[in-house]
Amino acid sequence: MKQLNSLQSLLFIGGGLLMVVGVGCYVFMFAMQIVCWIALTGCILFALMQMMQTYEGNSLTLKRLRNILNFADMLFVLAGLLMVDNAYGFLRSAFGNQIDYITYIYNKWIVVLLIAVVVEVYAVHRIDHELKKENK
């Protein structure tokens, strides 16, 4: 795996912290219209830095796991965008009535974030296991 330099590592950790703080404050309804942007910024930083960590080997398993990790990163960004929409209601006008918006969009960022976290944990665990196996 290609390692991140020190600035990229700081952005990666900072993005993760911004994401956690933003989501936590949003859940506890603390300045929701501000912290949603903090969470989205953290999601984007975290995803970009993680996507910069590439695998340069020949293992198909690790390449597949990297693609799964990239999918989880896209889900993190989508969850952040849905959180911003939840705070501001940008997509409300795209739906014919309020019931459809609530059914399909409102608070669905939680589901997307949960799926992203589960996929991320699985892929990171498997990548670690495969790299240890490859280095033996």
Side-chain angles (χ1 to χ4, degrees), residues 27-83:
V27 167
F28 290 113
M29 297 180 190
F30 176 75
M32 293 171 70
Q33 297 204 344
I34 297 170
V35 296
C36 66
W37 293 106
I38 292 171
L40 178 60
T41 303
C43 289
I44 291 170
L45 278 174
F46 183 82
L48 284 176
M49 292 303 114
Q50 192 162 15
M51 286 181 183
M52 292 177 93
Q53 255 184 330
T54 57
Y55 175 68
E56 297 161 351
N58 296 325
S59 172
L60 290 176
T61 303
L62 283 169
K63 288 180 182 180
R64 177 186 58 87
L65 288 168
R66 282 295 311 156
N67 288 336
I68 291 171
L69 210 54
N70 289 340
F71 175 69
D73 290 334
M74 287 186 274
L75 287 177
F76 277 126
V77 174
L78 178 62
L81 289 170
L82 288 173
M83 184 187 300

Side-chain angles (χ1 to χ4, degrees), residues 60-132:
L60 290 176
T61 303
L62 283 169
K63 288 180 182 180
R64 177 186 58 87
L65 288 168
R66 282 295 311 156
N67 288 336
I68 291 171
L69 210 54
N70 289 340
F71 175 69
D73 290 334
M74 287 186 274
L75 287 177
F76 277 126
V77 174
L78 178 62
L81 289 170
L82 288 173
M83 184 187 300
V84 169
D85 177 69
N86 197 50
Y88 289 95
F90 294 132
L91 295 177
R92 273 194 194 124
S93 61
F95 290 88
N97 58 23
Q98 190 74 12
I99 302 298
D100 289 341
Y101 174 76
I102 291 171
T103 302
Y104 298 115
I105 301 294
Y106 191 73
N107 278 343
K108 299 305 187 260
W109 66 269
I110 300 166
V111 175
V112 175
L113 185 66
L114 182 62
I115 292 169
V117 167
V118 169
V119 170
E120 179 90 15
V121 168
Y122 166 75
V124 167
H125 173 72
R126 290 288 298 136
I127 286 173
D128 184 50
H129 178 73
E130 290 294 323
L131 283 175
K132 284 180 184 174

